[in-house]
Amino acid sequence: MKVINLSEQNSVLNMYLREIRDVDIQKDSLRFRQNIERIGEVMAIEVSKALSYQPTDVQTPLGIAKVHTISDSIVLATILRAGLPLHQGFLNIFDHAENAFLSAYRRVGKDGELEIVAEYMAAPSIDGKVLIVADPMLATGMSMEVGYQALLKHGKPKHTHLCCAIATPQAIECVRGALSDSPDVTLWCAAVDPVLNEKKYIVPGLGDAGDLCYGIKIHLSDR
Ligand code: URA
């Protein structure tokens, strides 16, 4: 699995990343969602450089122009709910893409360990297509792994791009191990942060991306 950390190059991406991390700026949920969406747009343009293209003739009012257009069929997938703005950023760029949505949540299993439960999935066939999975926070890598395995029930993609805003080395290794028999996978991120805290949040990270986008959730078991 190839890993590309886009913050190794200076670009406007770092400004959006700075704003989603900043404890004062991120309180504005509209701006937070817009910044995540803009990260998705910049990342989509980077991913577009790795796709296949074919020359196409276009009739203009004055003649025929040759344009190289994307020949891959693209499926954009995301994990509810925090992935929605990142997904929208990709969809703004790949506006003809098909879409897949999955739900996954963390729960403490019988053994006391954190586990990921995937329940809902609405997806087209991904067979032979380029699959882009948008999940902003790659903390442990477990949701990405569970989500990817669930998507594989819908076919074998030609290539998969796993796209996140912030990843950890632990998550990258988890995904690398879990997907070791899938050679056609690229992981893109806008930053790699060093550690997780005891609640499995990325440090320094940015906090809970889903809550910052859509407001605080309550767990029925906490009532
Ligand atoms: N999900 C988040 O929203 N934030 C983290 O730090 C980790 C997982």
Side-chain angles (χ1 to χ4, degrees):
M1 183 179 78
K2 189 171 170 191
V3 178
I4 300 175
N5 178 355
L6 293 170
S7 67
E8 285 170 0
Q9 278 176 14
N10 284 332
S11 82
V12 69
L13 187 68
N14 288 345
M15 191 184 83
Y16 307 146
L17 193 63
R18 176 209 176 294
E19 290 200 1
I20 59 171
R21 285 185 188 274
D22 188 303
V23 71
D24 294 315
I25 300 174
Q26 64 169 206
K27 285 186 189 132
D28 178 347
S29 60
L30 174 62
R31 190 158 165 187
F32 185 83
R33 290 194 303 274
Q34 282 175 342
N35 277 322
I36 297 250
E37 200 170 315
R38 295 198 289 183
I39 288 173
E41 289 171 356
V42 173
M43 220 171 240
I45 289 169
E46 293 302 322
V47 171
S48 78
K49 298 174 190 170
L51 300 178
S52 300
Y53 288 77
Q54 66 189 12
T56 322
D57 288 343
V58 184
Q59 176 74 59
T60 79
L62 302 176
I64 306 271
K66 225 176 224 354
V67 185
H68 282 81
T69 52
I70 295 171
S71 53
D72 289 318
S73 298
I74 300 171
V75 177
L76 300 178
T78 199
I79 303 172
L80 302 171
R81 70 192 158 139
L84 288 174
L86 192 65
H87 181 100
Q88 186 59 48
F90 276 89
L91 192 53
N92 293 347
I93 303 300
F94 298 126
D95 47 340
H96 298 296
E98 295 176 279
N99 295 273
F101 298 94
L102 293 108
S103 76
Y105 65 91
R106 297 167 165 196
R107 102 178 150 200
V108 180
K110 289 197 184 94
D111 54 1
E113 291 294 315
L114 203 64
E115 62 182 22
I116 304 292
V117 185
E119 273 176 356
Y120 172 80
M121 177 153 73
S125 164
I126 58 168
D127 215 32
K129 299 176 185 171
V130 170
L131 174 66
I132 300 176
V133 188
D135 187 13
M137 305 299 280
L138 198 70
T140 62
M142 284 160 64
S143 324
M144 186 65 99
E145 182 195 339
V146 169
Y148 178 70
Q149 299 298 352
L151 283 161
L152 288 187
K153 294 188 185 127
H154 287 243
K156 184 180 179 320
K158 173 187 171 195
H159 194 100
T160 302
H161 298 277
L162 307 175
C163 298
C164 52
I166 306 179
T168 62
Q170 173 186 332
I172 293 171
E173 285 323 305
C174 164
V175 175
R176 196 194 295 283
L179 277 52
S180 57
D181 51 358
S182 308
D184 303 318
V185 178
T186 308
L187 191 148
W188 303 76
C189 61
V192 178
D193 279 10
V195 282
L196 296 176
N197 68 11
E198 64 293 345
K199 291 189 168 159
K200 308 283 186 212
Y201 280 94
I202 300 176
V203 181
L206 50 78
D208 190 304
D211 286 359
L212 287 161
C213 287
Y214 299 114
I216 291 169
K217 60 193 167 296
I218 54 154
H219 298 278
L220 291 178
S221 53
D222 296 343
R223 274 180 161 175

